[in-house]
Every structure is written in C-alpha cells, then in structure tokens.
Amino acid sequence: MTAKCDSETGGLLKYFKGITLLNGVGFLLLVIGCGGGGAANTTSPPPALPVFSLSSSQEQVRVNTEFVLTWSSSNATSCSASGDWSGNKTLSGDEKISEEVAGTKIYSLSCSGAGGEQSMSIEVEITPGPNLIVSRTTAQITPVESRTLTLGVDSWVLNFYRNDAYTCGLSGNYTFFVMEPANNSGAEAPLWAYLHGGGYGWFDEDQVYQAVKTQTQDTFNHEETFDDLIDNHLLHNTMSNDEVMDSTLTRRLQEGYRVLLVSMCDHDNYAGRGAPYLNNPNPNGGERQVNGLQATMAAMDYTVANYPSTHVFAHGTSAGSLGVFAMSQAYAEEGTYLTAIVADSWAFTPPRIFDMFDALVGEEGYVFNAGSDLRTDGMDKLGYDYLGLGIYPEAVIEGGFVEVPSMYIVGEKDPGCGGYRGGILPTIPQAAAAGLSNCGWMYDDLRDAIDNQPNSPHVFDLSPTGDHVETNRENPVNNRVDNFVNGVLATIPPHVFP
C-alpha cells in the first residue's frame, strides 16, 4: 500500500494493490483526512455488469426436431436475441426451437443493465433428417390374369398383377389384385385396400428363421399366387361353409366398393422400404431386399391411376394393421391423406410391446417363440428406425396428427398382446399393478393419447370379449367399423387421389 496527499483534494488516497475484482472492473478507494483540512469525498462502486448463462438441451439435432434453449440472468433489466432466433426475451426462461434447414445455427443473447451490456452465443448443429419419402415404382407392374366371380345375380371382375420390381424374401415377386364393384366394372367408386395378416419373421445371426407360432421361412417369403389371394384372403374372409359371412370386407363389397388386395412376401408387416434383407440365406440367388411398404404403395399408386377412385380406405388385420398405419404415414409425408384406416389387432406400441415380449416370450399360448429377439433382430430386419423417428400411433397422435382418422381395434382375448384366450397366459406384473388386462395395459398409452387429443378423429376400440382379427368374422365389431366409416364420410372428406 502506498499513500500520498493530493493538494487539490486535500485527502489521503490509498491504493490497494494485488486485488482482483469480479470481471476485472471496479476499484476500492479509502479516503482519510490529511493535513490541509480539505473536505472529504466518497465514491460509490459502479453498477455491476450483467451476469447470465445460455445453454441448449442438444448440441446436435435433426431438422424438424424440437430442442430447448434455456437462459438466466442477474444484474440485467432487459435481454434480446439475435442470430438464428430473435425478439425480446425475459430475464430468465426457456424456448422450444425447431429448425427446418440443416446447418450450424448460432443463437446469441444480449442482456443489459445499469452496469452495461454482455453478450453470449452458442452453436447447435442441425443435421439432415432421414428421407421419409418411400421410393417406389409402378413401371414394372404387368397384368397377369383376369377372372370373374359370380354369386347369385352378382358378378365381380378380378384383375391380377405382378410387380417385377420387387422380389419376395425367397422366391417370386409381389402381387395384387383389383376387384371391381359388383356388376359395374370401370365405374367410379370408393376404394377399400385390404392388407391381410400373416405374422412376422426374420433370420437371426445364425440364419435361423424366427417367426410367430408354427410359421417357417416358407410361410410368407414366396410369391402369393392369384389362387392364394382369392382362397386364403378374399373367400376366407367373406364366406363360411359356402355361405356369405357378414364381415367388414363383405359389407364393403355389398356397398359397391372397389377392393385392392395386396400380397405380403417379405414377412415384414408391409413396412419394408428397400433395406437389405439381413441374414437371408437367399437359396435362390440374387440380392434380396425388404420391400413390403414399397410394393404396397406401388400397388395403390397403380390402382388409383388406372381405376377411377373417390375415397380411399385402408383396412389391415394382424400384420396388415401395422401396414395400413405405415402406408398412411408414408402418404402423409407426401401431402396425400387417406380417407381413413382400420387397424385390427396389431399396432406398434413401444416400449410396452417390448415389455410384453420380454415377459411372455416362449410361454405357452404366446405368439413369439423362445429364442427370438424382437427388440434387436426383429426391428433390425426393417432397416428403418420407426421407433427413433417416432413413426408409431401414440407418437404421431401426441404430435397432433389428425389428417387420417384411424380406428385401432384390440380384443382382450388376443394372444398377440398376451390375451386371456384359454386362460393360459398369466397377467404380467406391470398390467396387474395397473389393474388392467395384458392387452389393455399394452395399448393403454395409445388409448390415453387418443383420449387426450382434443376432438380426436381417432377411435380406440378395446373389446373385453374380442379376440384376434374379429373384423374377418361375423362379430359386433363390424357394426362399430360401420359407425366409424360413416362418421368419417359424414365430414365430406375430399377425394384422395383427384
């Protein structure tokens, strides 16, 4: 410490050295009396500079994905944003951000107070999103055969096609048929696309085929013929003991709908987008891909381009239920919205679908067999991150999706969700703790998402006595499907593919 007398002030000014002050500003003065008797002066410290923080919940995020900027300040009276955000901001707070364009984004914040102004910037890397558009082609679709089915005074023309662009898992190609309205071929009509069931299967790392129940690699990895589609899926779901059966599909035929019925021959829930078919031993040679969604959408594209169609519904049972949802979302990415979908007996409901699998896999009465791994091998088969991208019913509904009204049908006896058919499967602990059946628990988040969506167009139909794919049989659920379809039509929806 040094001291000196200032003749002008008459004070003794002592300078304290070696003191480091906050932000390198400010000083400390001590003034005491000194000979000469001048009046003493006092000096207050200057106001402090603003002090604040700014952070992001993510350093790297995909386009169109929300992240949160959070900030707080002291010694400030106002804050404002610049760079890749803007506007006056509160002194402390958080803000959800979503960017549509990839690149490095800079978010700057300046806060001012009596002591001056401070600024801070952070960077967030916005990465390109995955290509959600399903690539597909109709260029290799060729007509193969036509037949006429007659029942009483009514007749229906069926036209069968093959798409040589897409091979099945082991042999052949994807196929489909278009069934014209009764006695009215070529007429403008609503279209009912039906995606049949058939379980799910994949090759594990040892090239051993894992599938539901007694299915093998040969069950749904080969081309479905015209006879296969007619006998196993059309007649099986509309006739019983040579009598017309009052199913959902029967009712649409009676109402004059045109029907599109597509094959499934990669055993992929109609969800494949062209990824390599993992671990496929491929005994018939050639590169194999998982093409279910591509082939299904190509069949739809071809049908609406060549047959005059008004409203377009998609109805799936079991595996087909996942397919109609995947198709509705893929078309939505292109700005095309199906009139509605009916998904009977299966939906992707993570994480509970995996929890149910873990609890019951290998149990007598459950659909998945011991040794199978749905979480990894099962999901890897598709080669597409439906889970990570949030492409499943609960997620899209919570995100506000209302453009395609969707009916989800679940029966509490259905073994696919651990149902009580035959009293074989135990109630898993998570379901018991919630006071729900296995099926009620596995789908409860989906039910909750629909219940909490304001004015939701979606329907969750859980039947305490329902079983697997009841829309394919005479069952009261068909009346509820009618109510759903009629409710959608009452809103006068636009034609889907004008």
Side-chain angles (χ1 to χ4, degrees):
M1 180 178 67
T2 62
K4 71 174 182 177
C5 285
D6 187 315
S7 61
E8 294 181 0
T9 63
L12 179 65
L13 184 61
K14 294 185 176 182
Y15 295 86
F16 290 80
K17 297 186 176 180
I19 299 176
T20 301
L21 301 178
L22 182 63
N23 294 327
V25 298
F27 49 86
L28 182 63
L29 297 176
L30 178 61
V31 181
I32 61 175
C34 187
N41 285 346
T42 59
T43 305
S44 299
L49 278 169
V51 177
F52 66 98
S53 64
L54 173 63
S55 63
S56 171
S57 61
Q58 303 286 337
E59 293 182 359
Q60 185 179 84
V61 67
R62 285 188 178 128
V63 293
N64 299 315
T65 302
E66 282 189 349
F67 59 98
V68 180
L69 297 181
T70 302
W71 68 95
S72 62
S73 67
S74 60
N75 305 329
T77 57
S78 66
C79 294
S80 62
S82 60
D84 287 297
W85 66 333
S86 61
N88 295 326
K89 304 300 177 186
T90 57
L91 300 181
S92 297
D94 57 63
E95 184 172 324
K96 293 180 179 179
I97 304 289
S98 177
E99 299 286 2
E100 296 182 352
V101 179
T104 300
K105 305 298 181 181
I106 300 175
Y107 303 94
S108 300
L109 186 68
S110 297
C111 292
S112 301
E117 181 180 72
Q118 289 272 57
S119 297
M120 178 180 293
S121 297
I122 60 171
E123 293 184 355
V124 177
E125 186 67 24
I126 310 298
T127 60
N131 184 4
L132 301 180
I133 304 300
V134 176
S135 64
R136 57 195 185 274
T137 180
T138 62
Q140 297 184 58
I141 292 176
T142 56
V144 178
E145 184 182 352
S146 293
R147 297 181 189 176
T148 299
L149 297 184
T150 301
L151 181 64
V153 298
D154 295 320
S155 62
W156 294 263
V157 174
L158 282 70
N159 298 315
F160 178 66
Y161 300 89
R162 178 180 293 111
N163 191 339
D164 290 327
Y166 302 114
T167 58
C168 301
L170 294 177
S171 70
N173 294 85
Y174 275 86
T175 57
F176 64 93
F177 72 66
V178 177
M179 186 173 185
E180 289 278 48
N183 310 315
N184 204 11
S185 294
E188 184 178 71
L191 178 65
W192 191 266
Y194 177 63
L195 278 59
H196 67 74
Y200 187 50
W202 61 90
F203 291 99
D204 64 19
E205 292 88 343
D206 298 320
Q207 296 187 329
V208 175
Y209 201 69
Q210 305 289 349
V212 301
K213 299 183 287 188
T214 59
Q215 291 182 342
T216 71
Q217 68 181 41
D218 293 315
T219 307
F220 280 108
N221 279 296
H222 298 280
E223 178 174 309
E224 292 191 84
T225 66
F226 202 1
D227 286 333
D228 290 336
L229 295 180
I230 292 174
D231 296 340
N232 299 335
H233 308 301
L234 174 62
L235 297 181
H236 180 76
N237 296 331
T238 58
M239 303 289 292
S240 178
N241 298 319
D242 295 325
E243 297 291 332
V244 175
M245 181 171 58
D246 188 26
S247 66
T248 285
L249 185 56
T250 298
R251 294 184 182 189
R252 301 295 84 79
L253 290 170
Q254 292 171 338
E255 292 169 353
Y257 278 69
R258 178 175 286 112
V259 169
L260 165 65
L261 202 155
V262 300
S263 70
M264 178 179 70
C265 63
D266 278 321
H267 214 188
D268 64 346
N269 296 323
Y270 303 87
R273 293 169 171 246
Y277 198 141
L278 294 178
N279 306 313
N280 187 343
N282 194 14
N284 295 295
E287 181 184 35
R288 299 290 169 176
Q289 297 176 337
V290 185
N291 301 124
L293 184 56
Q294 292 173 295
T296 300
M297 294 181 71
M300 176 73 83
D301 294 343
Y302 183 90
T303 301
V304 297
N306 290 277
Y307 296 86
S309 305
T310 57
H311 302 115
V312 178
F313 293 83
H315 170 209
T317 52
S318 193
S321 295
L322 287 93
V324 295
F325 172 79
M327 182 167 61
S328 73
Q329 295 301 302
Y331 272 120
E333 285 295 329
E334 301 174 2
T336 297
Y337 301 105
L338 302 183
T339 306
I341 65 170
V342 177
D344 179 7
S345 296
W346 198 247
F348 185 41
T349 57
R352 293 190 178 193
I353 188 173
F354 297 123
D355 296 336
M356 188 66 65
F357 175 88
D358 292 343
L360 296 179
V361 63
E363 292 274 354
E364 181 185 359
Y366 188 54
V367 293
F368 286 101
N369 301 309
S372 60
D373 184 357
L374 180 63
R375 286 181 182 268
T376 53
D377 289 350
M379 296 302 296
D380 288 348
K381 172 180 179 172
L382 299 178
Y384 193 78
D385 190 10
Y386 283 94
L387 174 60
L389 294 170
I391 306 177
Y392 54 94
E394 175 196 343
V396 301
I397 292 170
E398 288 182 344
F401 185 75
V402 296
E403 288 81 1
V404 181
S406 305
M407 183 178 187
Y408 299 96
I409 299 170
V410 179
E412 295 201 62
K413 295 171 66 175
D414 187 350
C417 48
Y420 68 86
R421 183 201 295 172
I424 299 173
L425 292 171
T427 302
I428 67 172
Q430 301 96 312
L436 298 170
S437 67
N438 283 347
C439 292
W441 179 83
M442 192 175 104
Y443 288 100
D444 200 47
D445 286 342
L446 174 55
R447 177 206 58 77
D448 190 60
I450 294 173
D451 285 351
N452 289 325
Q453 185 181 51
N455 302 312
S456 180
H458 311 301
V459 172
F460 181 73
D461 186 289
L462 177 65
S463 171
T465 59
D467 208 320
H468 194 60
V469 298
E470 297 280 28
T471 59
N472 282 345
R473 293 182 284 273
E474 292 188 10
N475 190 277
V477 73
N478 296 314
N479 295 328
R480 300 195 293 275
V481 172
D482 286 354
N483 292 336
F484 171 70
V485 170
N486 291 334
V488 171
L489 293 175
T491 66
I492 314 179
H495 293 179
V496 177
F497 298 91

